[in-house]
Amino acid sequence: GQYIAMAAAYLPEGFAIRELRAEYRMQARLRDEIFPVVCRQKNTVTVELCNGEGKPYAVVMFLQK
């Protein structure tokens, strides 16, 4: 749930979520830094929450209504 909440913070204002998909890759641990990589397309926002090496902890895709 925390990964989804973090990713949702990068949605544009007024973005109405129709569907979301979350893929968990690995666990972040206490004091790990998380770097978001955001890709916005027409009706989709994908947020990768990555470590310092660019490896994702989670990939969350939001589809707009």
Side-chain angles (χ1 to χ4, degrees):
Q2 292 293 328
Y3 289 142
I4 293 169
M6 280 189 254
Y10 295 95
L11 292 174
E13 190 172 321
F15 189 94
I17 300 170
R18 176 178 56 123
E19 182 180 333
L20 76 86
R21 297 178 188 160
E23 183 179 323
Y24 301 97
R25 301 272 178 94
M26 64 180 168
Q27 179 180 357
R29 304 205 187 276
L30 187 62
R31 295 188 184 89
D32 282 348
E33 290 187 77
I34 298 176
F35 300 92
V37 177
V38 181
C39 178
R40 293 185 178 140
Q41 296 176 346
K42 185 177 179 181
N43 294 322
T44 307
V45 175
T46 303
V47 181
E48 290 187 14
L49 300 170
C50 300
N51 65 11
E53 298 172 355
K55 295 180 181 178
Y57 293 112
V59 178
V60 184
M61 182 172 65
F62 299 93
L63 300 168
Q64 190 172 28
K65 283 187 178 179

